[in-house]
Amino acid sequence: MLTTSLHRQVGQKIIVALDFSSEKEAMHFLDKFDPSGPLCFVKVGMELFYSAGPSIISQIRQRNLEIFLDLKLHDIPNTVERAVAVLAQLDVSIINVHSLGGRPMMLGARRALKEAKEKNKKLRLIGVTHLTSTSSEILRQDLNIQSEIQSDVVRLAGLVKDAGLDGVVCSSLEVSKLRAKFGQDFLLVTPGVRLDVDKSGDQKRVATPAEAIKWGADYLVVGREVTTAHDPVAMFEKILMSIK
Ligand code: C5P
């Protein structure tokens, strides 16, 4: 058994994706967890945000959980800049844009964040590189990008850093390269983690939670492994134990 402080320390590295289609389901899920336990950070994505609206953020914050608002903005620079300004008013710790929107879009997002940061100092803005569900084959056939996926993730991460963002969403498989190239202060958030990598579902570039942490990820995003588990609390604990 982990000591309570180590337990919480490991817990702080795991962001549980609240991929539910209503506030009721999300709250019912959170009710299962001990408020003084190791669950510290959750992710609100499109499904929950679009169904429950911005009030879901204050509902979750009342439980003292940190929030990654994962809306992966990708639009013209002006629209993204204004949207980031709006999202930055919410009490969240991380927001993101999609790096494939390009440099001017990310610079717009960065400008909006800079102003918002005066009020919400903890807020960080990161860029999605390639989705963890994207393979080299999808890259070539659907996106007409001929490079290998790992080198293209490194290229996109460089673009994100140049635009002044705080870090990236990438797969665990790229973490050690990105850590070596961009240093300790560049935030690396990795979804696509599975205790059993053979059960990856729609995710293509997966690793175990222990591997992702060992290779240098700051945060892991864990979704269905916990949310659809028969006993989500026990599964969350199992993931913590696998990392310790
Ligand atoms: O259920 P699973 O663990 O695959 O969920 C992963 C979560 O991380 C989902 O909420 C998904 O939207 C998100 N995500 C991802 N790949 C990215 C960025 C975010 O899977 N590159």
Side-chain angles (χ1 to χ4, degrees):
M1 192 60 199
L2 298 175
T3 63
T4 314
S5 69
L6 182 57
H7 217 157
R8 270 189 84 79
Q9 219 176 310
V10 179
Q12 272 157 9
K13 292 197 151 279
I14 302 185
I15 303 178
V16 172
L18 298 178
D19 289 333
F20 298 105
S21 53
S22 70
E23 178 182 325
K24 197 172 158 205
E25 279 176 86
M27 292 304 153
H28 178 65
F29 172 81
L30 291 177
D31 284 342
K32 299 179 202 286
F33 289 82
D34 175 356
S36 58
L39 178 69
C40 310
F41 217 135
V42 295
K43 180 170 90 69
V44 174
M46 298 177 199
E47 186 183 356
L48 184 57
F49 194 75
Y50 294 160
S51 73
S55 65
I56 189 69
I57 301 299
S58 43
Q59 291 287 327
I60 295 172
R61 287 292 297 140
Q62 280 170 21
R63 293 170 187 245
N64 222 6
L65 295 164
E66 280 200 71
I67 302 173
F68 168 18
L69 181 57
D70 174 28
L71 299 179
K72 302 184 180 69
L73 304 183
H74 185 171
D75 207 318
I76 59 169
N78 180 60
T79 301
V80 168
E81 181 168 350
R82 296 173 67 106
V84 166
V86 172
L87 295 180
Q89 304 301 317
L90 300 172
D91 189 10
V92 297
S93 301
I94 305 178
I95 55 176
N96 64 356
V97 297
H98 205 304
S99 66
L100 290 178
R103 189 189 301 267
M105 185 204 78
M106 288 194 277
L107 289 172
R110 167 82 191 139
R111 257 193 311 275
L113 183 89
K114 223 171 158 189
E115 281 179 28
K117 258 195 157 163
E118 280 162 27
K119 279 199 196 136
N120 180 358
K121 293 206 180 345
K122 70 177 181 219
L123 183 60
R124 284 170 292 180
L125 172 67
I126 61 178
V128 177
T129 53
H130 284 299
L131 297 171
T132 38
S133 57
T134 300
S135 61
S136 288
E137 198 180 27
I138 294 177
L139 216 61
R140 260 192 313 276
Q141 290 180 359
D142 301 347
L143 303 180
N144 198 22
I145 296 174
Q146 303 307 322
S147 347
E148 276 309 307
I149 193 148
Q150 288 206 352
S151 57
D152 212 49
V153 168
V154 175
R155 178 187 71 82
L156 287 171
L159 191 63
V160 171
K161 189 158 168 69
D162 275 359
L165 272 55
D166 300 302
V168 290
V169 186
C170 60
S171 96
S172 312
L173 308 182
E174 294 106 33
V175 159
S176 45
K177 254 193 192 150
L178 296 180
R179 183 60 73 216
K181 197 167 163 92
F182 299 114
Q184 292 304 320
D185 293 338
F186 199 55
L187 200 64
L188 301 178
V189 178
T190 67
V193 284
R194 296 284 182 272
L195 282 175
D196 179 352
V197 291
D198 293 331
K199 293 188 183 144
S200 58
D202 58 346
Q203 297 282 19
K204 297 284 193 306
R205 292 175 295 128
V206 297
T208 66
E211 284 170 330
I213 293 289
K214 186 175 74 188
W215 294 334
D218 292 298
Y219 295 108
L220 314 184
V221 176
V222 182
R224 287 160 290 183
E225 194 120 279
V226 171
T227 54
T228 63
H230 171 65
D231 182 344
V233 176
M235 180 52 86
F236 184 67
E237 295 282 341
K238 193 171 169 188
I239 292 172
L240 294 190
M241 293 301 286
S242 79
I243 293 172
K244 83 171 190 323

